[in-house]
Amino acid sequence: GIHLGLGANNTIGGPTAAARNVISGNVGIGIFVVHSNISPGGNLIQNNYIGTDVTGTVAVGNTGKGIQIQDSPGNTVADNVISGNLQEGVHIVFSVGNVLRGNRIGTNAAGTAALGNGNSAGVVIGTPGNTTVGGTTAADRNIISGNIYGVLLTGDVTNTLIQGNYIGTDVTGTFALGNDHGVQLETAASGNLIGGTA
């Protein structure tokens, strides 16, 4: 759909419905951000429908991942619907300092019905980690539901924060839209924080 190579400080979408892109039905990855570590990343992916139709209710999946961030630091993925893709919703690997906040990953746009990403997880974070999924405010909260794995940490993932999300529920946090597995840490994942005392 969209390929950012060696790119920095780009914006895909924006804060309003008028700025929204529908990035769906591509034979491959919806948005691929790669190799921006050569020049700092800092890209913003905001308020897009990635893998659905224009209403955000029907799957029109990309054949690959919804979003893949690889070798690219400091990107923000915010307020998107990332659902109905045939592979992972979001896959981050060999990248640090990325933030996922306010997204619907595996649900419809309203967060009321499952529209899962197939074959794997809503969110996959690989080595080295250093990623933030969610936060301490309602605006930061991701709804990650209807997938096989909600969040999968794989490899030597460290310093990743998973906090304040609804994983396996609807947008209200009261009705089940289950993933097969909520959060799974594999192999050598260590030093990560899931939840917290606040």
Side-chain angles (χ1 to χ4, degrees), residues 131-143:
T131 298
T132 298
V133 181
T136 57
T137 72
D140 291 332
R141 176 182 300 133
N142 299 286
I143 313 299

Side-chain angles (χ1 to χ4, degrees):
I2 296 175
H3 184 164
L4 295 181
L6 307 180
N9 303 315
N10 299 287
T11 298
I12 300 172
T16 67
R20 174 180 300 137
N21 300 286
V22 178
I23 305 168
S24 302
N26 297 290
V27 185
I29 298 167
I31 300 175
F32 189 20
V33 182
V34 62
H35 293 317
S36 296
N37 60 334
I38 297 172
S39 57
N43 300 291
L44 173 62
I45 301 169
Q46 185 177 30
N47 199 30
N48 303 286
Y49 287 179
I50 303 166
T52 76
D53 73 344
V54 70
T55 70
T57 62
V58 177
V60 186
N62 298 290
T63 301
K65 303 168 178 68
I67 298 173
Q68 181 165 341
I69 297 173
Q70 180 176 323
D71 296 309
S72 182
N75 302 287
T76 299
V77 178
D79 308 320
N80 303 279
V81 177
I82 308 166
S83 301
N85 299 288
L86 274 63
Q87 297 185 26
E88 296 93 330
V90 181
H91 189 176
I92 299 174
V93 64
F94 305 131
S95 305
V96 298
N98 290 283
V99 176
L100 307 180
R101 59 174 174 80
N103 301 287
R104 307 280 195 263
I105 303 174
T107 75
N108 63 6
T112 57
L115 199 63
N117 297 287
N119 195 39
S120 184
V123 178
V124 177
I125 299 168
T127 305
N130 297 89
T131 298
T132 298
V133 181
T136 57
T137 72
D140 291 332
R141 176 182 300 133
N142 299 286
I143 313 299
I144 307 173
S145 301
N147 307 287
I148 295 177
Y149 296 95
V151 181
L152 175 63
L153 274 57
T154 180
D156 298 330
V157 176
T158 62
N159 299 317
T160 286
L161 173 65
I162 301 169
Q163 190 173 62
N165 305 287
Y166 287 173
I167 301 175
T169 77
D170 73 340
V171 69
T172 70
T174 60
F175 294 99
L177 299 177
N179 304 287
D180 288 358
H181 309 274
V183 178
Q184 180 152 324
L185 281 66
E186 292 187 342
T187 59
S190 62
N192 302 287
L193 177 61
I194 301 171
T197 59

